[in-house]
């Protein structure tokens, strides 16, 4: 739980940007400091925005580099000129007009900001994401009738996506409740409290587009800081009265006579059934963990824990610790504890590509710039988005003509490989034994990459060893490897991931005619746009099949796209006077055929790509979205009427959250 006073103060500093009202800037000393320390590319875009000076843009643009090219620098005198020009503009009184760039200029600025062409298809999404053209507020749509008070929406989960659903449902005037199994909001970021827990998507990207946080302490946020962001959002939007905590949804059953969902929820006092006109399942894929199936593990005599259920009562100081798993969680926890344990044995089952990254503090002056220089935060975010998301998509596209399929899938992918290999070779120059064990033999991005923030350095410590021999079994005081070696340990930490294959989760979902989603899907889930399923009217998924942005990061944008789409579906149902909507089987089949075809050209189905949690046992990728975020954004603007079946007439349903609570 956060301190309410600091939460309130922080919530007040969340910015929705577009503040020409921040001009003119009177604090010249702070402005000078901010200009001196801020990134050239976003500053140039702010200058271009206010001055509309495309000549100066053309002069400086050739010196803007990508984040993978930090050595490319603009001449000092040109940067100085930018600072002076911008200083004059930002301090002039009256302030210059704050007018959104037109599509042509914006595209030019976007391309200059990342030193590569940005297609025109990005412009509408970025006009929205950057606050130049915020999404329409549904409640102000002309001719729209406010949702009937008895049309009820139930959201499952109060994590990143569930909270977003709550904000947008409130804004659109819907009655809703959020059912959350935990005692606090946050989902993944509430549950994962292991030491070193971090977000590996850049801070300035990983937020709601309408709630940028100018105060991120580091360029990659740690877990508690991201959780604090979500707490601030919850308070700012006063969402708590709509969240029912400590309550788990165990079943959603469609009632065909009333065209609504009967949702069974359980808490300490027992279970009960509530009704809803629509269900938005935002329960998240990364929280169903279990211990690995290793003989003897449960009989281990020391402390045993999973990263997703950290036992803070265990003091690791001076202990011999075994760490199972070398994905993102394993590397983060390993980094955090390597310095305090007596010995850390890292047990690697398979190799993950490590991408160099850094945990760098955001200078105070740059935080000030985000708060006070209009549009600076948005341009900073755009660059982070590009290099951590859609700008990386080409890297996962297979070039069938590529001459070295044994190590990469294209020239671009080969370049990313070189970039990573260079990092290994530099840091492990004196440890060829580690290099030999660590370097993957499949193309980079073939499974989820892991951020190397000091991990290779930590693996080189005297008190750390890396084992890549298979674990045979666990004894009371040791892990025994397949070659017979016994590693005596006091603590076993399992950073062994989640049961992502089970997309239905722990609840039962029963649709029309008693069809059971778990039985239908088994290990091969399919949905329309990853959001809706034939036979399950008004049941909406988030992070559903083939909708995860695994080409890089960007779950935040996927969440915004999906929640937008789901609300548009609700609007569509109401505008048609119907009770329910579901995609036709034909539309769902067509979408999945397109997905399968698109996947064929991408890295995960390359013959050299390893098995990973993206794929089911037969190698079909059931998680990843084979499209860029921008493509998915376009796909999710509005439901296509011809792809849906509407049914019934609107009939009230549901008990309010007050009733739910009263019943508990
Ligand atoms: P993960 O990526 O699934 O990695 C699990 C690791 O445990 C893998 O190295 C796996 O090896 C190993 N493992 C699994 N079962 C094992 C067994 N029986 N014996 C030995 N090793 C075993 O899980 P994660 O690291 O918790 O990450 C889960 C997801 O959350 C990922 O998408 C991750 O990137 C994400 N995550 C994100 C952040 C963030 O910053 N946004 C932070 C943490 C986690 P194999 O590779 O052979 O399966």
């Amino acid at each position: 739980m956060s301190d309410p006073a600091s939460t309130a103060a922080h919530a007040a500093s969340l910015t929705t940007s577009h503040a020409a009202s921040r001009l003119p800037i009177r604090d010249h000393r702070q402005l000078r400091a901010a200009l001196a320390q801020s990134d050239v590319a976003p500053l140039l875009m702010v200058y271009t925005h206010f001055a509309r000076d495309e000549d100066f843009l053309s002069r400086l643009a050739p010196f803007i580099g990508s984040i993978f090219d930090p050595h490319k620098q603009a001449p000092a005198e040109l940067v100085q000129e930018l600072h002076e020009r911008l200083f004059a503009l930002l301090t002039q009184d009256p302030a210059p007009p704050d007018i959104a760039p037109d599509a042509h200029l914006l595209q030019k600025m976007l391309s200059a900001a990342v030193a590569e062409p940005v297609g025109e298809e990005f412009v509408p999404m970025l006009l929205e994401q950057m606050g130049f053209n915020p999404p329409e507020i549904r409640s102000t749509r002309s001719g729209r009738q406010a949702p009937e008070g008895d049309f009820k929406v139930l959201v499952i989960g109060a994590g990143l996506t569930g909270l977003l659903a709550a904000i947008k449902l409130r804004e659109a005037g819907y009655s809703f409740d959020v059912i959350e199994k935990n005692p606090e909001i946050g989902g993944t970021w509430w549950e994962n409290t292991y030491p070193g827990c971090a977000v590996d998507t850049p801070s300035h990207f990983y937020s709601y587009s309408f709630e940028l946080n100018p105060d991120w302490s580091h360029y990659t946020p740690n877990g508690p800081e991201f959780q604090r962001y979500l707490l601030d959002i919850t308070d700012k939007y006063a969402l708590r009265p709509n969240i029912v905590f400590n309550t788990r949804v165990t079943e959603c059953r469609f009632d065909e006579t009333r065209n609504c969902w009967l949702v069974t929820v359980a808490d300490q006092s027992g279970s009960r059934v509530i009704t809803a006109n629509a269900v938005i399942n935002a329960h998240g894929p990364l929280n169903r963990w279990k211990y690995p199936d290793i003989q003897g593990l449960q009989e281990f005599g020391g402390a045993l824990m999973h990263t997703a259920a950290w036992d803070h009562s265990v003091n690791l100081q001076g202990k011999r610790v075994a760490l199972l798993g070398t994905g993102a969680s394993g590397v983060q926890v390993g980094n955090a504890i390597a310095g305090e344990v007596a010995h850390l044995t890292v047990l690697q089952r398979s190799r993950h590509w490590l991408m160099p990254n850094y945990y760098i503090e955001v200078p105070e002056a740059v935080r000030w710039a985000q708060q006070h220089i209009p549009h600076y935060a948005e341009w900073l975010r755009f660059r982070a988005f590009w290099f951590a998301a859609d700008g990386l998509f080409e890297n996962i596209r297979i070039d069938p003509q590529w001459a070295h399929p044994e190590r990469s899938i294209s020239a671009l992918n080969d370049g990313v490989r070189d970039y990573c290999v260079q990092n290994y070779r530099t840091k492990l120059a004196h440890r060829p034994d580690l290099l030999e064990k660590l370097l993957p033999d499949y193309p980079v991005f073939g499974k989820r990459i892991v951020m190397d923030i000091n991990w290779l350095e930590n693996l080189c410590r005297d008190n750390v060893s890396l084992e890549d021999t298979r674990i045979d079994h666990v004894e009371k005081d040791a892990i025994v490897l397949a070659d017979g070696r016994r590693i005596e340990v006091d603590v076993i930490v399992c950073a062994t991931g989640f049961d992502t294959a089970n997309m239905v989760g722990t609840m039962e979902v029963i649709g029309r005619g008693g069809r059971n989603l778990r039985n239908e899907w088994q290990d091969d889930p399919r949905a329309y746009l990853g959001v809706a399923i034939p036979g399950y009217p008004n049941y909406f998924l988030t992070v559903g099949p083939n909708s995860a942005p695994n080409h890089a990061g960007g779950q935040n944008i996927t969440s915004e796209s999906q929640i937008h789409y789901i609300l548009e579906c609700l609007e569509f149902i109401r505008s048609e006077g119907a009770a329910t909507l579901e995609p036709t089987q034909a539309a769902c089949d067509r979408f999945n055929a397109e997905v399968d075809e698109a996947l064929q050209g991408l890295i995960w189905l390359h013959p050299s790509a390893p098995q990973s949690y993206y794929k089911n046992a037969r190698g079909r990728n059931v998680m990843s979205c084979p499209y860029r975020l921008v493509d998915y954004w376009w796909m999710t603007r509005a439901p296509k009427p011809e792809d849906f079946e509407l049914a019934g007439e609107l009939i009230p349903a549901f008990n309010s959250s007050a009733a739910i609570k009263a019943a508990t």
Side-chain angles (χ1 to χ4, degrees):
M1 294 281 282
S2 66
D3 160 31
S6 77
T7 298
H10 190 68
S13 76
L14 286 170
T15 173
T16 41
S17 123
H18 10 279
S21 56
R22 292 180 235 157
L23 297 182
I25 294 175
R26 309 263 182 222
D27 190 339
H28 294 187
R29 190 187 56 79
Q30 278 279 22
L31 177 58
R32 288 266 180 223
L35 293 173
Q37 292 187 56
S38 298
D39 294 4
V40 171
L43 288 181
L44 176 60
M45 300 311 139
V46 174
Y47 173 72
T48 309
H49 174 94
F50 284 111
R52 292 295 199 268
D53 182 348
E54 294 188 43
D55 289 341
F56 190 72
L57 176 65
S58 301
R59 273 175 64 203
L60 194 41
F63 301 103
I64 304 292
S66 91
I67 58 159
F68 302 112
D69 188 10
H71 300 298
K72 191 167 177 184
Q73 281 192 347
E77 60 283 4
L78 204 50
V79 174
Q80 188 58 32
E81 188 180 339
L82 168 66
H83 290 171
E84 293 309 323
R85 284 169 177 256
L86 199 46
F87 183 88
L89 264 181
L90 298 176
T91 56
Q92 81 178 41
D93 197 357
D98 183 4
I99 301 166
D102 63 28
H104 174 76
L105 177 59
L106 183 67
Q107 194 185 349
K108 191 169 174 181
M109 292 165 75
L110 294 168
S111 303
V114 294
E116 61 182 285
V118 175
E120 64 184 350
E121 69 276 19
F122 281 92
V123 170
M125 179 180 94
L126 291 169
L127 279 169
E128 182 195 279
Q129 284 280 317
M130 297 177 81
F132 292 125
N133 184 20
E136 186 188 13
I137 306 280
R138 291 181 178 83
S139 57
T140 63
R141 265 184 195 166
S142 74
R144 176 194 192 249
Q145 284 195 341
E148 304 68 18
D150 46 17
F151 184 91
K152 305 287 184 178
V153 184
L154 189 102
V155 180
I156 304 174
L160 175 80
T161 310
L163 293 173
L164 176 67
I167 292 168
K168 294 297 172 184
L169 286 164
R170 164 88 55 76
E171 187 183 271
Y174 285 95
S175 300
F176 69 94
D177 277 301
V178 182
I179 307 293
E180 169 55 57
K181 70 181 189 312
N182 293 325
E184 183 50 284
I185 63 96
T188 290
W189 305 105
W190 182 83
E191 289 172 12
N192 283 268
T193 61
Y194 59 83
C197 177
V199 182
D200 53 18
T201 305
S203 315
H204 298 95
F205 171 30
Y206 204 60
S207 55
Y208 302 129
S209 61
F210 55 92
E211 281 296 357
L212 305 192
N213 173 15
D215 280 335
W216 295 117
S217 68
H218 290 74
Y219 285 99
T220 49
N222 55 50
E225 191 170 18
F226 193 75
Q227 171 66 359
R228 203 182 72 189
Y229 169 79
L230 293 177
L231 285 164
D232 292 345
I233 295 286
T234 306
D235 290 346
K236 180 170 176 176
Y237 288 85
L239 299 176
R240 286 185 188 279
N242 289 75
I243 305 175
V244 184
F245 290 105
N246 295 309
T247 303
R248 181 185 283 277
V249 175
T250 58
E251 184 183 274
C252 295
R253 181 179 290 273
F254 188 67
D255 178 341
E256 291 187 66
T257 51
R258 289 197 290 159
N259 276 321
C260 65
W261 285 91
L262 306 178
V263 181
T264 308
V265 297
D267 65 12
Q268 272 193 328
S269 63
S271 68
R272 64 205 170 278
V273 178
I274 55 181
T275 54
N277 295 86
V279 174
I280 301 177
N281 183 349
H283 71 179
L286 295 177
N287 55 28
R288 293 175 292 282
W289 66 272
K290 61 179 172 46
Y291 284 114
D293 191 12
I294 298 173
Q295 188 200 327
L297 185 64
Q298 293 306 324
E299 283 73 58
F300 176 61
L304 170 68
M305 55 184 152
H306 192 281
T307 45
W310 194 259
D311 183 349
H312 289 274
S313 70
V314 177
N315 180 0
L316 296 178
Q317 195 107 37
K319 300 274 170 40
R320 298 164 302 173
V321 178
L323 172 61
L324 276 58
T326 51
S329 303
V331 165
Q332 289 169 1
V333 75
N335 275 333
I337 66 176
E340 67 172 288
V341 301
H343 194 91
L344 178 67
T345 306
V346 179
L347 293 128
Q348 172 183 271
R349 183 166 75 173
S350 52
R351 304 167 186 211
H352 300 254
W353 274 103
L354 291 165
M355 173 82 86
N357 203 345
Y358 310 91
Y359 189 59
I360 299 173
E361 208 172 327
V362 183
E364 204 279 320
V366 176
R367 287 192 247 162
W368 187 92
Q370 292 171 73
Q371 213 149 15
H372 294 90
I373 300 180
H375 308 293
Y376 181 85
E378 287 77 2
W379 280 103
L380 189 66
R381 183 172 192 257
F382 165 64
R383 256 174 78 85
F385 151 76
W386 189 258
F387 295 118
D390 278 2
L392 285 176
F393 194 86
E394 283 310 305
N395 171 55
I396 63 155
R397 201 190 293 282
I398 297 168
D399 173 0
Q401 312 299 330
W402 176 240
H404 299 287
E406 74 290 354
R407 62 167 197 245
S408 51
I409 56 162
S410 67
L412 181 64
N413 183 256
D414 210 43
V416 178
R417 183 181 193 281
D418 283 348
Y419 174 72
C420 296
V421 170
Q422 184 60 34
N423 179 54
Y424 285 89
R425 293 203 189 285
T426 307
K427 293 183 181 165
L428 301 178
H430 59 298
R431 290 294 303 268
D433 59 316
L434 282 178
L435 185 64
E436 171 78 28
K437 285 180 181 170
L438 285 166
L439 208 55
D441 60 358
Y442 58 87
V444 62
F445 276 83
K447 65 197 255 183
R448 201 179 192 283
I449 53 158
V450 173
M451 295 299 161
D452 174 27
I453 301 181
N454 300 327
W455 181 232
L456 292 176
E457 288 91 333
N458 276 317
L459 285 175
C460 292
R461 296 173 68 104
D462 290 341
N463 70 329
V464 176
S465 47
L466 176 71
E467 293 292 348
D468 61 354
T469 305
R470 194 177 57 78
I471 298 170
D472 186 76
H473 66 278
V474 172
E475 295 180 351
K476 272 258 169 292
D477 59 347
I479 288 182
V480 182
L481 302 181
D483 59 12
R485 279 181 296 143
R486 280 183 101 251
I487 302 169
E488 292 189 1
V489 290
D490 307 306
V491 180
I492 297 179
V493 171
C494 294
T496 44
F498 300 89
D499 181 12
T500 48
N502 169 17
M503 267 195 206
V504 182
T506 51
M507 62 187 182
E508 296 306 318
V509 183
I510 313 296
R512 279 195 197 286
R515 53 200 287 183
N516 179 313
L517 191 57
R518 188 182 307 286
N519 295 343
E520 283 193 55
W521 273 0
Q522 300 195 16
D523 70 343
D524 196 8
R526 289 168 194 255
Y528 174 82
L529 284 174
V531 165
I533 321 157
Y536 299 81
N538 290 8
Y539 181 80
F540 299 104
L541 303 159
T542 64
V543 205
N546 294 108
S547 71
N550 295 142
H551 59 287
Q555 182 53 49
N556 50 326
I557 294 192
T558 298
S559 294
E560 287 191 26
S561 292
Q562 294 186 329
I563 295 302
H564 168 89
Y565 186 78
I566 292 166
L567 266 97
E568 288 305 301
C569 286
L570 296 181
E571 295 291 296
F572 179 54
I573 297 166
R574 293 180 42 253
S575 70
E576 297 295 314
T580 65
L581 153 159
E582 63 193 281
T584 63
Q585 190 64 50
C588 188
D589 291 347
R590 191 186 63 240
F591 176 75
N592 280 280
E594 288 164 4
V595 161
D596 283 340
E597 194 183 333
L599 282 168
Q600 285 303 325
L602 301 179
I603 192 163
W604 309 296
L605 296 193
H606 192 267
S608 62
Q611 184 57 357
S612 73
Y613 71 84
Y614 298 163
K615 302 180 191 174
N616 65 16
R618 278 159 286 128
R620 178 170 183 269
N621 186 328
V622 296
M623 280 210 85
S624 307
C625 178
Y627 307 111
R628 300 173 301 178
L629 292 169
V630 68
D631 303 318
Y632 193 67
W633 184 88
W634 279 107
M635 291 175 191
T636 50
R637 288 310 82 203
K640 289 182 185 158
E642 65 273 22
D643 284 356
F644 285 95
E645 279 165 15
L646 294 161
E649 273 179 49
L650 202 54
I651 297 179
F654 209 62
N655 314 321
S656 71
S657 63
I660 299 170
K661 283 171 192 155
T664 62

